Amino acid sequence: DSRKVVSASQDGNLLVWNAVTANKIQSISLKSSYVMSVGMEQTAGNMVACGGLDNLCTVYKLDRPNMAMEMASHDGFISCCRFLSEQHILTSSGDSTCIRWDIASGRVLDSFAEHQADTMFLSIRPNDPNVFISCSVDRTVKVWDVRSSGKQGSVQTLTGHLGDVNSVEFMPSDGNAFGTCSE
């Protein structure tokens, strides 16, 4: 509903804010204060996630924040976490991979592993959660389709940056274009 914003800090707290009033709605104490990414589930807005230097993606239900689901399979820091739905989340990591998870079980559904260095960020295509893009310190951007389950590899690899690609984002209008930024 565009009324909630989530943030986290090295103070060890994940905060949910009212974006209209700028008032804090909820505070969740984290086990690890080394957070590098947060995300909010966009359909119902009842779940938030965070990840960082503990190599875990942790999902919290806002109505039961003491019952967190920890997803552990990455061998590197979590650089980005984005919800695909209330059932699935995507993460990118310093281990050069992206993983699609089943939230309820914490099970890895698919691993996307073509980057040659830290995967720094990912973005999900608006109105099509089957397609996402990732960027990496290896100076590439990759387009993925989860329906191929990572088995066929990325749909497309884009090169041209001369330094680490640190962020990538689909344009919100129709998802047919995206932007990248690099060192």
Side-chain angles (χ1 to χ4, degrees):
D1 62 2
S2 300
R3 292 186 175 271
K4 291 180 186 172
V5 175
V6 63
S7 66
S9 169
Q10 288 187 357
D11 66 3
N13 291 299
L14 185 144
L15 303 175
V16 180
W17 303 86
N18 181 312
V20 176
T21 65
N23 291 327
K24 182 173 32 173
I25 299 170
Q26 189 170 2
S27 177
I28 299 170
S29 295
L30 303 174
K31 286 178 25 179
S32 172
S33 62
Y34 296 101
V35 176
M36 296 177 67
S37 180
V38 294
M40 181 174 280
E41 192 278 318
Q42 298 294 307
T43 305
N46 294 326
M47 290 188 287
V48 293
C50 65
L53 297 180
D54 62 358
N55 301 357
L56 298 172
C57 176
T58 307
V59 176
Y60 299 90
K61 291 187 176 185
L62 294 177
D63 60 348
R64 290 178 274 147
N66 294 332
M67 296 178 58
M69 171 56 73
E70 291 182 343
M71 288 164 275
S73 187
H74 283 295
D75 291 328
F77 61 88
I78 304 295
S79 56
C80 188
C81 51
R82 295 291 177 260
F83 285 90
L84 291 166
S85 66
E86 293 180 83
Q87 295 79 34
H88 301 125
I89 192 167
L90 271 171
T91 56
S92 61
S93 172
D95 67 7
S96 307
T97 68
C98 296
I99 292 179
R100 184 172 69 112
W101 305 85
D102 177 75
I103 295 170
S105 68
R107 185 173 56 91
V108 172
L109 297 175
D110 303 298
S111 185
F112 304 88
E114 282 186 14
H115 284 295
Q116 302 302 308
D118 300 355
T119 305
M120 298 307 294
F121 204 79
L122 62 87
S123 178
I124 299 164
R125 186 176 187 186
N127 303 317
D128 186 359
N130 292 309
V131 177
F132 74 97
I133 48 180
S134 62
C135 63
S136 172
V137 172
D138 68 7
R139 302 177 182 178
T140 67
V141 174
K142 293 188 178 283
V143 180
W144 303 91
D145 190 323
V146 300
R147 293 168 289 201
S148 67
S149 300
K151 295 174 183 75
Q152 298 173 352
S154 60
V155 175
Q156 188 173 18
T157 299
L158 298 114
T159 60
H161 282 293
L162 301 177
D164 302 356
V165 185
N166 295 314
S167 187
V168 63
E169 191 70 47
F170 273 106
M171 299 300 170
S173 56
D174 62 7
N176 288 326
F178 58 85
T180 63
C181 69
S182 169
E183 287 184 7

